[in-house]
């Protein structure tokens, strides 16, 4: 039996989102959530969780390339704690050091500079976070 998982790519202005199935190990991006200084529209996130009924949530953990924390790391952890507190679902953190760069090169490969719109980058970043989590935990 597979599980449905939703992943978030936390940012202060926009939070990318993707949903995936552990059976296939693949993710599809969902519309990003706008955020005001890191605070999302919780009702929109709640609706997304009600629509998809995930068994687990994954939040990308932004780290410096050497693995040390950066100011955004703590905020992403807080966001993960709030998700857990609000929706009572298991929340896991996933190292996302390379996902934004990968997302940009993937979009660029598909459509050049015009395709590099921020919400697309966030959505693909969330997909990559989720797919890397599946690779790590679901094999």
């Amino acid at each position: 039996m597979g599980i449905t998982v939703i992943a978030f790519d936390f940012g202060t202005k926009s939070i990318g989102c993707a949903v995936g199935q552990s059976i296939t190990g693949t993710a599809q991006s969902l519309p990003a959530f706008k955020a005001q200084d890191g605070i999302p529209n919780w009702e929109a996130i709640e609706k997304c969780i009600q629509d998809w009924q995930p068994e687990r949530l994954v939040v990308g953990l932004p780290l410096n390339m050497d693995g040390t924390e950066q100011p955004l790391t703590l905020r992403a952890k807080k966001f993960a704690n709030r998700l857990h507190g609000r929706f009572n679902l298991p929340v896991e953190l996933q190292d996302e050091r390379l996902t934004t760069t990968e997302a940009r090169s993937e979009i660029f490969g598909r459509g050049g500079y015009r395709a590099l719109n921020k919400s697309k980058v966030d959505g693909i970043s969330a997909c990559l976070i989720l797919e890397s989590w599946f690779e790590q935990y679901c094999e």
Side-chain angles (χ1 to χ4, degrees), residues 100-125:
T100 303
T101 319
E102 276 179 49
R104 284 181 197 281
S105 63
E106 191 164 309
I107 291 169
F108 188 72
R110 289 182 193 170
Y113 285 111
R114 284 191 310 272
L116 283 178
N117 112 19
K118 180 75 175 110
S119 66
K120 275 201 184 116
V121 172
D122 291 340
I124 290 180
S125 291

Side-chain angles (χ1 to χ4, degrees), residues 44-139:
I45 290 180
E46 183 172 358
K47 182 177 182 339
C48 176
I49 287 173
Q50 284 171 346
D51 289 349
W52 290 98
Q53 298 287 311
E55 282 86 357
R56 181 175 302 272
L57 306 174
V58 173
V59 174
L61 191 63
L63 296 165
N64 293 317
M65 281 321 236
D66 64 2
T68 56
E69 296 199 348
Q70 51 174 285
L72 202 57
T73 311
L74 194 62
R75 299 187 69 175
K77 285 180 175 176
K78 262 192 195 152
F79 174 70
N81 288 338
R82 289 197 181 118
L83 281 171
H84 177 67
R86 274 178 184 260
F87 305 112
N88 202 21
L89 288 164
V91 179
E92 298 199 27
L93 296 165
Q94 177 68 20
D95 181 348
E96 62 160 61
R97 273 177 276 189
L98 297 171
T99 53
T100 303
T101 319
E102 276 179 49
R104 284 181 197 281
S105 63
E106 191 164 309
I107 291 169
F108 188 72
R110 289 182 193 170
Y113 285 111
R114 284 191 310 272
L116 283 178
N117 112 19
K118 180 75 175 110
S119 66
K120 275 201 184 116
V121 172
D122 291 340
I124 290 180
S125 291
C127 281
L128 293 167
I129 288 166
L130 187 49
E131 287 173 2
S132 66
W133 183 84
F134 283 142
E135 279 168 31
Q136 221 173 330
Y137 297 102
C138 293
E139 288 191 352

Side-chain angles (χ1 to χ4, degrees), residues 23-44:
I23 288 180
T24 58
T26 56
Q28 68 181 63
S29 62
L30 298 172
F33 298 101
K34 292 210 177 313
Q36 295 280 318
D37 193 28
I39 297 160
N41 175 343
W42 287 108
E43 281 145 35

